Amino acid sequence: MADINNQIINQQAIISKGFYDIQIDPSLDLFFEIEKLKKEKNAIILAHYYQEPDIQDIADYIGDSLGLAQQAAKIKAEMIVFAGVHFMAETAKILNPHKKVLLPDLNAGCSLSDSAPPQVFKLFKDKYPDHTVITYINCSAGMKALSDIICTSSNARQIVESLPENQPIIFAPDKNLGAYINKITGRNMLLWNGACMVHEIFSLEKITKLKIRYPDAKFIAHPECEESILAIADYIGSTTGLLKYSEDSTSQTFIVATETGILHQMQKNSPNKTFIPAPPNNSCACNNCPYMKLNTLEKLYISIKYELPEIMMDEQLLNAAKKPIDKMLEISYSLGL
Ligand code: 13P
Ligand code: SF4
């Protein structure tokens, strides 16, 4: 424990001395350099759909949270560069305790994860000892360690339905996803009051106006959105679900209520279709996740080159957080998800 704490302190000291400000020769072809480093170091790049287009283009695997966890569970490479946010890289580390897992910017957190501090959640959970705790993967390792099963937006329904109907459940941290799953499964899960700042920002009024302007457009939304937004959606699904729906649908136009990064893959996979980001309720670009966008191609290059910042975890916490993730992967595998 003291050893890991010292390693974390040493890493913080290096980072605080200007690690993120390292200047890169502007004439470098970063795509070429990153490919070269990947081979030299036997590294693999995993990226979430919310990453900037350049990162998505250089990634070995792009996916939603479930796809990324499944991919991380079977990685052969020695080093994983995780282009996503902290809880995702942490999950990859939990599944690969003996591999080096890098996150280009260690400050890439998550508002949803922050809405569930483990010590506060523990007090809540202790009041309901007969409840099973299902926790959305968008949470810290500390929260995972307090959970029975993890889920993602693409398997939440099946994970909940894998439990007997009369089993009381606490669902954390996302109240919007939890309420949506309650609605479609008829369960009455106890919901933690957390939410994602990006998915709570969409304007019902502006989306309604867009739907009038584009009457043939399909309105598609991520289940982290509020109930009023989900109520008018033609399709609700994880980022992979939304992408697949946009590919399979005969519609030509889509209004998309999730983080804007996904539009890059949608446009790439369906070049002749039109994708309109659902507007936020003010004039900011708040449908961009500020945490996801902390990673850049430059930081990814620096990260793989210097093998920093690395995800480091206490072994006991890692083992406790691994159990509910393994359970999720087992259930998903058995259901062919
Ligand atoms: P999925 O990757 O499950 O679609 O969730 C989106 C998200 O908010 C990730 O932070
Ligand atoms: Fe977290 Fe929301 Fe950003 Fe996803 S989009 S990483 S849930 S803040």
Side-chain angles (χ1 to χ4, degrees), residues 24-308:
I24 302 173
D25 175 355
S27 65
L28 272 188
D29 176 351
L30 289 185
F31 284 87
F32 175 80
E33 296 298 329
I34 291 170
E35 285 299 342
K36 202 165 89 183
L37 285 168
K38 252 172 51 185
K39 283 195 192 91
E40 270 169 39
K41 299 183 183 233
N42 189 13
I44 192 158
I45 301 175
L46 303 183
H48 190 268
Y49 290 122
Y50 295 164
Q51 292 293 287
E52 63 171 38
D54 280 351
I55 294 183
Q56 292 190 37
D57 290 345
I58 202 162
D60 296 289
Y61 177 85
I62 326 168
D64 68 358
S65 304
L66 178 62
L68 287 163
Q70 288 171 325
Q71 202 64 29
K74 58 181 183 196
I75 270 174
K76 299 265 188 302
E78 274 156 38
M79 188 189 290
I80 300 170
V81 188
F82 208 111
V85 289
H86 192 275
F87 74 81
M88 296 178 171
E90 195 172 59
T91 302
K93 179 68 183 175
I94 291 167
L95 293 166
N96 295 279
H98 305 299
K99 291 189 179 165
K100 193 171 263 190
V101 178
L102 306 173
L103 177 63
D105 191 321
L106 213 49
N107 299 313
C110 167
S111 63
L112 179 52
S113 174
D114 290 346
S115 67
Q119 58 284 23
V120 184
F121 180 75
K122 167 108 177 47
L123 297 175
F124 172 75
K125 168 189 146 122
D126 287 349
K127 287 196 221 154
Y128 305 98
D130 58 335
H131 283 51
T132 296
V133 178
I134 299 184
T135 307
Y136 190 34
I137 198 163
N138 299 33
C139 67
S140 63
M143 275 294 284
K144 290 186 173 80
L146 293 169
S147 309
D148 296 297
I149 319 177
I150 298 303
C151 73
T152 76
S153 60
S154 57
N155 64 13
R157 176 183 199 147
Q158 291 87 344
I159 296 286
V160 168
E161 287 180 336
S162 73
L163 297 178
E165 255 174 70
N166 57 358
Q167 173 61 48
I169 298 171
I170 292 175
F171 188 89
D174 190 16
K175 63 176 178 191
N176 294 320
L177 175 64
Y180 170 65
I181 300 296
N182 270 344
K183 191 173 164 198
I184 59 175
T185 60
R187 304 276 174 131
N188 186 24
M189 300 186 294
L190 206 50
L191 307 180
W192 180 259
N193 188 17
C196 157
M197 60 193 274
V198 177
H199 289 89
E200 285 226 308
I201 205 81
F202 295 111
S203 161
L204 183 60
E205 195 188 326
K206 289 185 192 168
I207 294 168
T208 307
K209 283 186 181 154
L210 266 181
K211 276 168 72 87
I212 294 167
R213 192 161 159 217
Y214 298 95
D216 296 331
K218 292 285 183 212
F219 174 56
I220 59 177
H222 194 281
E224 285 175 27
C225 294
E226 290 173 316
E227 193 182 355
S228 58
I229 301 288
L230 297 179
I232 58 164
D234 296 300
Y235 175 78
I236 298 165
S238 77
T239 43
T240 296
L242 298 173
L243 179 63
K244 203 165 171 338
Y245 180 87
S246 72
E247 288 165 21
D248 296 346
S249 167
T250 52
S251 289
Q252 290 302 304
T253 308
F254 301 84
I255 302 164
V256 185
T258 192
E259 212 273 353
T260 54
I262 187 73
L263 268 68
H264 178 60
Q265 279 318 304
M266 288 178 168
Q267 201 66 75
K268 232 174 139 173
N269 295 0
S270 307
N272 298 320
K273 294 184 179 177
T274 303
F275 297 97
I276 305 166
N281 56 20
N282 50 31
S283 54
C284 68
C286 326
N287 46 1
N288 278 327
C289 173
Y291 301 105
M292 285 280 180
K293 299 308 195 256
L294 279 177
N295 296 323
T296 59
L297 195 67
E298 286 74 16
K299 283 186 192 163
L300 197 149
Y301 166 69
I302 291 169
S303 173
I304 190 166
K305 183 171 161 118
Y306 296 100
E307 302 185 17
L308 279 171

